[in-house]
């Protein structure tokens, strides 16, 4: 399975933009890039996903490098409710549809 | 609408006992996943169902773990002869299908403590 690498932790000031990086140098052509986040004591929740093009939704934006070996989740204005662990995941249909979460990036938002 | 629910929310058991953990997926979702999450770690895949059949059980750690989904809806994760190392949060997720761009909807988890 193609794996991802993320920083263990990041900090952001409230109402500032946050850029969460993810490296996935062994990504294959059939892998979708998914981002999930997990708030304390809750199950993970979907944030965004993409294949090749940049994506925007009401929660965030996903910027995918041209060679697809890295991506960045962008929170445009961090709020205290965005404090969570963010997981970058590759969805590989060739290996049984498993999600490999890794350890994610723990985001702290400073008031 | 109702999301994914899991029962019980907490389960405390003694080493060697048998436990069952239940997952009620979102109605109409054909794909169902079980994960296990230890403290400070990301969720770890256990098993995936498409309909009633286990399409991928490669994440089950050993033969003490078993899961069923007899009618293609509710699923039960069964753990025999529990060990202290089985203590973790067990998460269930469902998805409209197994397609790679489909979102997974997670339940709140069952916290299992083996004494």
């Amino acid at each position: 399975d193609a794996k991802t690498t993320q920083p263990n932790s990041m900090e952001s000031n409230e109402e500032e933009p946050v850029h969460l990086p993810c490296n996935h140098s062994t990504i294959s052509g059939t892998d979708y890039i998914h981002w999930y986040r997990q708030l304390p004591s809750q199950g993970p929740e979907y944030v965004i996903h993409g294949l090749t093009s940049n994506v925007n939704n009401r929660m965030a934006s996903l910027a995918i490098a041209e060679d697809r070996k890295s991506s960045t989740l962008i929170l445009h204005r961090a709020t205290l409710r965005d404090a969570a662990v963010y997981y970058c995941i590759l969805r590989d249909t060739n290996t049984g549809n498993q999600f490999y979460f890794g350890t994610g990036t723990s985001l702290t938002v400073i008031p | 609408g109702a999301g994914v629910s899991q029962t019980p929310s907490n389960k405390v058991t003694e080493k060697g006992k048998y436990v069952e953990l239940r997952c009620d997926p979102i109605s109409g979702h054909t794909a169902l996943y079980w994960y296990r999450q230890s403290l400070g770690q990301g969720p770890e895949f256990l098993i995936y169902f498409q309909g009633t059949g286990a399409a991928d059980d490669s994440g089950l750690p050993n033969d003490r773990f078993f899961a069923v989904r007899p009618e293609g809806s509710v699923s039960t994760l069964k753990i025999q002869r529990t060990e202290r190392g089985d203590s973790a949060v067990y998460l269930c997720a469902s998805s409209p299908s197994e397609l790679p761009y489909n979102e997974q909807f997670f339940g709140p988890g069952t916290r299992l403590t083996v004494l």
Side-chain angles (χ1 to χ4, degrees):
Chain A
D1 290 334
K3 298 298 189 290
T4 62
T5 303
Q6 300 176 253
N8 288 332
S9 62
M10 291 184 65
E11 286 187 352
S12 173
N13 293 319
E14 195 176 10
E15 299 191 3
E16 294 288 321
V18 183
H19 290 231
L20 297 165
C22 181
N23 287 320
H24 28 79
S25 58
T26 59
I27 191 171
S28 74
T30 56
D31 286 337
Y32 279 79
I33 301 162
H34 288 251
W35 283 82
Y36 280 70
R37 72 179 186 181
Q38 188 172 23
L39 280 65
S41 301
Q42 296 187 25
E45 67 173 344
Y46 169 82
V47 178
I48 200 166
H49 78 273
L51 184 61
T52 56
S53 303
N54 295 343
V55 184
N56 300 292
N57 66 21
R58 64 177 178 80
M59 289 182 70
S61 296
L62 176 60
I64 301 173
E66 194 168 336
D67 63 5
R68 301 214 318 133
K69 293 185 177 183
S70 66
S71 61
T72 302
L73 179 71
I74 302 166
L75 307 179
H76 296 286
R77 289 183 65 216
T79 70
L80 297 178
R81 290 174 295 178
D82 292 323
V85 178
Y86 287 78
Y87 297 98
C88 169
I89 303 160
L90 300 183
R91 185 77 186 278
D92 179 3
T93 57
N94 294 324
T95 57
N97 300 297
Q98 295 184 23
F99 263 19
Y100 177 76
F101 275 81
T103 54
T105 296
S106 179
L107 176 65
T108 300
V109 180
I110 302 167
Chain B
V4 177
S5 63
Q6 294 186 245
T7 54
S9 55
N10 281 284
K11 176 70 176 178
V12 180
T13 191
E14 294 180 342
K15 180 175 178 294
K17 300 289 189 182
Y18 168 83
V19 296
E20 290 190 352
L21 311 179
R22 176 186 168 110
C23 172
D24 282 80
I26 293 173
S27 178
H29 281 192
T30 60
L32 185 146
Y33 306 79
W34 282 99
Y35 296 84
R36 177 171 71 174
Q37 187 170 25
S38 301
L39 193 62
Q41 302 296 315
E44 172 192 17
F45 170 82
L46 295 177
I47 187 170
Y48 149 63
F49 287 89
Q50 179 56 33
T52 60
D56 183 352
D57 64 357
S58 62
L60 295 178
N62 51 59
D63 60 6
R64 295 187 297 106
F65 289 75
F66 189 70
V68 295
R69 195 186 185 200
E71 298 178 357
S73 178
V74 171
S75 178
T76 304
L77 179 66
K78 307 181 181 192
I79 310 174
Q80 298 178 320
R81 304 182 304 280
T82 52
E83 300 178 357
R84 292 193 180 88
D86 299 334
S87 296
V89 175
Y90 289 81
L91 295 162
C92 174
S94 71
S95 185
S97 78
E98 78 285 7
L99 293 174
Y101 47 79
N102 276 160
E103 174 183 350
Q104 291 192 10
F105 296 81
F106 282 81
T110 293
R111 181 175 298 278
L112 175 65
T113 303
V114 181
L115 301 177

